Amino acid sequence: MSNFQPRLPPELEEIVFTIALHANPGNIKSLILVAKRVNQWLIPHIYRTVIIHDTTRKPNPPAQNLMYFGTHIRHLMIWRGFRKPPSLGLCLSSCPNLESLAVWTPGLPYDLEVIDNLLKLRLTYLSFNFGEFLKGLSKEGRATIPITFPSITHLEIIGTLLPADLHRIKELFPVLTHLALFVGGNDTTSVQRTLEIFQDQIMVLIYDLGATAMGPSPEVVPTSVFFELVDPRVVLLKYGHDVIDSWVDGTQGGSLSVWRVAEETVKSRRLALLKYES
């Protein structure tokens, strides 16, 4: 650390360095070496959103750093592509203050450590393989033990979803209002059954087409492409061409967020229906 002496009040200096960090994340190493106080200011911002991905082009803090800075992390994505995946249980236990979590890496087992740490978190947003989670519960002998995720309102399901799983989703996620089904193809049965099971509880139901849009923003596809549904809550969607950008932007409520795009679509449909009925 240098002996850099400030010429601004500490509060204003902190704002300046924070703006500099967000304007050019590539300068992280240079900024945190300016002075000890600058390092302390910036660490919570650096680790607020973390993507663990061995091939990503983005600044990516090493997984082992979670043991030291995990309490600062609010949004965590564990992406595919690992030759040697980090311990999911260790990642979760190191990040007790998570608000959103995406586990998009195949082959990470949902063992007892993972299950217990998932249940301890007070997440609002979760994206994971629900089928693998149920397998983990069964393997650990906890399939019949009452458990819930009492704070999760937004849930993305990746991997295969069986019809019976829909009832379990409703049981395990009692305050769920937004659900995305990543089933691919033209399996409209899951969508219709979901509406029947959740009824008015679900405000937005995303039906992912298993493909990415040409542009950076998520693309809404007319519902009539696959089926006839008059329910305005069902949104057929393609992720933007960079799913990492879409996810990160979603943690900030940005325009690339699939949830924001879907919510705005549902809102515009409801307004159109009101005008038509009047």
Side-chain angles (χ1 to χ4, degrees):
M1 299 290 178
S2 72
N3 293 319
F4 170 76
Q5 297 299 318
R7 297 183 179 180
L8 299 172
E11 297 81 4
L12 185 55
E13 187 187 15
E14 180 177 356
I15 293 174
V16 170
F17 278 103
T18 301
I19 292 174
L21 172 68
H22 290 293
N24 191 349
N27 285 337
I28 287 177
K29 291 184 178 179
S30 299
L31 290 172
I32 62 175
L33 291 176
V34 169
K36 184 176 180 180
R37 65 184 180 284
V38 177
N39 179 285
Q40 294 174 338
W41 289 334
L42 296 185
I43 284 295
H45 294 278
I46 293 171
Y47 284 93
R48 181 172 179 80
T49 300
V50 171
I51 304 165
I52 301 178
H53 181 5
D54 63 352
T55 60
T56 184
R57 65 183 185 281
K58 303 174 184 299
N60 184 31
Q64 59 267 30
N65 283 11
L66 301 189
M67 298 178 63
Y68 304 101
F69 304 114
T71 56
H72 299 297
I73 299 175
R74 298 296 181 270
H75 313 288
L76 175 64
M77 171 189 282
I78 304 175
W79 181 248
R80 66 187 179 188
F82 282 102
R83 288 177 292 275
K84 185 179 180 181
S87 165
L88 179 55
L90 177 61
C91 288
L92 298 182
S93 64
S94 301
C95 307
N97 300 315
L98 286 179
E99 299 169 12
S100 57
L101 170 67
V103 182
W104 291 357
T105 300
L108 289 182
Y110 288 75
D111 54 24
L112 184 59
E113 182 184 18
V114 172
I115 292 171
D116 284 342
N117 280 297
L118 269 176
L119 293 171
K120 290 177 183 177
L121 295 172
R122 287 298 175 257
L123 297 166
T124 301
Y125 299 82
L126 174 63
S127 177
F128 76 149
N129 191 312
F130 187 65
E132 291 299 319
F133 175 75
L134 291 183
K135 287 181 183 178
L137 284 179
S138 179
K139 183 178 179 180
E140 299 295 341
R142 305 184 64 175
T144 58
I145 298 176
I147 56 174
T148 62
F149 293 90
S151 59
I152 293 177
T153 57
H154 294 61
L155 176 67
E156 290 180 318
I157 299 294
I158 62 174
T160 303
L161 183 68
L162 301 175
D165 294 345
L166 293 169
H167 290 283
R168 287 291 280 151
I169 292 173
K170 184 175 176 61
E171 293 172 1
L172 292 174
F173 300 90
V175 298
L176 194 66
T177 58
H178 293 60
L179 176 62
L181 302 178
F182 289 74
V183 291
N186 59 351
D187 179 17
T188 61
T189 302
S190 294
V191 176
Q192 294 168 336
R193 287 177 61 87
T194 302
L195 292 173
E196 293 172 359
I197 292 170
F198 282 89
Q199 300 183 12
D200 294 336
Q201 179 179 339
I202 290 295
M203 299 169 58
V204 174
L205 177 58
I206 294 177
Y207 181 76
D208 179 69
L209 297 179
T212 54
M214 295 299 294
S217 300
E219 177 186 339
V220 177
V221 178
T223 311
S224 58
V225 169
F226 282 97
F227 43 76
E228 293 184 5
L229 270 178
V230 295
D231 197 311
R233 298 173 295 171
V234 180
V235 180
L236 274 65
L237 200 65
K238 294 181 180 179
Y239 257 89
H241 63 66
D242 189 327
V243 294
I244 293 180
D245 281 346
S246 293
W247 181 83
V248 172
D249 204 52
T251 66
Q252 303 166 2
S255 60
L256 300 182
S257 165
V258 293
W259 294 122
R260 179 173 175 178
V261 169
E263 287 172 346
E264 290 177 351
T265 300
V266 173
K267 182 179 179 180
S268 63
R269 288 174 179 174
R270 291 191 182 280
L271 289 174
L273 285 173
L274 287 174
K275 291 181 180 178
Y276 176 78
E277 292 173 353
S278 60

